[in-house]
Amino acid sequence: MSFVLREVRHLLVDLDGVLFVGTTALPGAADFIAWLRQRGIAFRLVTNNATLTPRGYVDKLRVMGIEVEEDEVFTSALATALYLRKQRGTQSAYVIGEEGLFEALRGASVMLESEHPDWVVVGLDRKLTYDKLATGALALQRGARFLGTNPDLSLPADAGLLPGAGAIQATLTATTGIRPTVIGKPEPLMLELAMSQLGGDLSNTAMLGDRLDTDIQGAKALGIPSILVLTGVSSRRDIEQSKATPTLVVEDLAELIEVWTEDGTR
Amino acid sequence: MSFVLREVRHLLVDLDGVLFVGTTALPGAADFIAWLRQRGIAFRLVTNNATLTPRGYVDKLRVMGIEVEEDEVFTSALATALYLRKQRGTQSAYVIGEEGLFEALRGASVMLESEHPDWVVVGLDRKLTYDKLATGALALQRGARFLGTNPDLSLPADAGLLPGAGAIQATLTATTGIRPTVIGKPEPLMLELAMSQLGGDLSNTAMLGDRLDTDIQGAKALGIPSILVLTGVSSRRDIEQSKATPTLVVEDLAELIEVWTEDGTR
């Protein structure tokens, strides 16, 4: 093993493909969360999804038998709000998004403004209209800065892939020539903010996820070790073609507990 | 001069920046159309705008004192319909666009179908919604072919640039990874169809326009000579940086008549 699990004191945990798939808990998910608590490893459940609120995730997980607190959930919407609060001169934003994003921005006291906002913030919005795109494009041309909650180009649904936040951002980039700063994975900004919230640093924080192109790439961009669990999108075979290589690969969460326990007691 | 104007029997004429700017006729526009008729030069007024119908353009031009017939107007919507009619196995399309496009497709007997269309056709739609984008993206994933009326990324308005047909197409490309075939300038397809309607060929047809990146580039792509008139977007200075060089440059339509008359009588 190229890093020592027992030195990990803080863990960033992806949700879909790690704790559940769709609306079904993955085997060992509840046990894994309990094991982290017992072991004293602080964690944040991090997700690129900016449409749900932390409360929405707590409820969703509870139905699956997984108990977490609201402040253990960190969405790209919260990361976006936190990022905005740290920027100088941020008072207002024009927002294309859903409730999770609006709630997070309200929590950060960002005022909503369509004519002359400081920022145009774009996440997934399933009520998108041409007028919203036009308003966002014009605000960017008037000098607003451009922020994207997450870069996902598509959103998996039963019928196929639907347009994601990144595809909506692409419309504004095509119109104006301006590219957004993007918060969610594989960009390192959200992961960095989550690590900082935990009080962790590059020496004692790791990322656990199921996707090479977001979770593992994001960990690489931030500079922390990563654990790939094979219960989601990426397979062992995908690793060869990947730009980012996980530090550790496990079949499932049960194997991770086992390996971690062994390592921790050595 | 590197080509002989008197050999031109068919002329493709761009509208905005050539015959008018906004809602105001350019000097000499009505005279130029009359001169073309008197001289026996057949023409098509070609425009990337797929939202207006030919009748809409005839009315718009009449208000400015320029008299043309409906069948002298050739929009990218008409070119799109004509292109679809020529493709094997085209019976249905899912259409994102406005009245000009829907009317043209009705005229070509293309059935509207959202679930399993043969084509997804995308033009400018100022009533765009997320549901339309999702329906288009899913149809493409089920195997529909992807056609764009015109590639314009933005649409100039008083307040600034609004999202254009190309920016809407970009959303579907971002979602699905599929790129459209595009009909309008600077792609050669619309110009080729207009030339063919006139009964012209590469030896006796020319393009007249005000934009290097669309009109002159489109003429180059098709392989016909081009005349740049400096009453619109492109200036003489822009020519040096342009990928396509016009065959002839004139200040305005009056100069074009003058040069053409001299050349024709030599």
Side-chain angles (χ1 to χ4, degrees), chain A residues 185-201:
Chain A
K185 301 170 287 181
E187 301 299 325
L189 280 166
M190 175 173 75
L191 299 182
E192 186 172 18
L193 289 165
M195 179 174 78
S196 164
Q197 273 203 338
L198 286 171
D201 60 37

Side-chain angles (χ1 to χ4, degrees), chain A residues 124-131 133-134 137-138 141-142 153-155 159-164 167-168 170-171 174-175, chain B residues 124-131 133-134 137-138 141-142 153-155 159-164 167-168 170-171 174-175:
Chain A
L124 174 63
D125 178 4
R126 283 165 289 192
K127 302 277 189 207
L128 183 73
T129 62
Y130 186 85
D131 283 346
L133 291 169
L138 291 174
Q141 290 166 72
R142 290 189 202 104
L153 295 173
S154 61
L155 178 76
L161 298 173
L162 305 179
I168 298 173
T171 314
T175 304
Chain B
L124 174 63
D125 178 4
R126 282 165 290 190
K127 302 276 189 208
L128 184 72
T129 63
Y130 186 83
D131 283 346
L133 291 169
L138 292 174
Q141 291 166 71
R142 290 189 201 105
L153 294 174
S154 61
L155 178 75
L161 299 174
L162 305 179
I168 299 174
T171 314
T175 305

Side-chain angles (χ1 to χ4, degrees), chain A residues 117-261:
Chain A
D118 300 316
W119 293 86
V120 172
V121 179
V122 178
L124 174 63
D125 178 4
R126 283 165 289 192
K127 302 277 189 207
L128 183 73
T129 62
Y130 186 85
D131 283 346
K132 292 183 187 181
L133 291 169
T135 302
L138 291 174
L140 290 174
Q141 290 166 72
R142 290 189 202 104
R145 285 169 282 174
F146 188 7
L147 195 62
T149 56
N150 59 302
D152 304 57
L153 295 173
S154 61
L155 178 76
D158 289 343
L161 298 173
L162 305 179
I168 298 173
Q169 292 152 21
T171 314
L172 296 186
T173 297
T175 304
T176 63
I178 301 168
R179 293 182 179 279
T181 298
V182 179
I183 298 293
K185 301 170 287 181
E187 301 299 325
L189 280 166
M190 175 173 75
L191 299 182
E192 186 172 18
L193 289 165
M195 179 174 78
S196 164
Q197 273 203 338
L198 286 171
D201 60 37
L202 298 178
S203 75
N204 61 15
T205 309
M207 171 80 211
L208 168 64
D210 73 309
R211 291 188 67 141
L212 291 161
D213 59 348
T214 55
D215 304 314
I216 308 306
Q217 178 64 38
K220 180 187 174 188
L222 178 56
I224 59 173
S226 59
I227 304 160
L228 179 71
V229 59
L230 298 172
T231 48
V233 167
S234 297
S235 68
R236 213 177 277 275
R237 179 181 292 176
D238 296 330
I239 299 172
E240 289 164 39
Q241 273 87 50
S242 173
K243 280 190 289 184
T245 306
T247 322
L248 174 67
V249 183
V250 294
E251 288 296 324
D252 52 28
L253 294 175
E255 185 184 338
L256 178 56
I257 292 178
E258 195 179 316
V259 173
W260 205 321
T261 304

Side-chain angles (χ1 to χ4, degrees), chain A residues 34-91:
Chain A
W35 184 86
L36 288 175
R37 292 195 198 288
Q38 181 200 326
R39 182 100 180 188
I41 296 166
F43 62 88
R44 281 289 180 280
L45 307 179
V46 290
T47 174
N48 269 4
N49 189 327
T51 65
L52 280 185
T53 62
R55 167 58 40 201
Y57 274 107
V58 168
D59 292 345
K60 179 181 165 114
L61 289 165
R62 177 168 300 138
V63 171
M64 297 188 260
I66 304 166
E67 296 286 341
V68 298
E69 304 294 322
E70 274 189 59
D71 62 8
E72 290 170 329
V73 178
F74 196 64
T75 68
S76 70
L78 288 170
T80 296
L82 204 56
Y83 177 86
L84 281 184
R85 207 159 54 184
K86 291 183 173 197
Q87 306 304 307
R88 278 170 180 277
T90 295
Q91 298 194 322

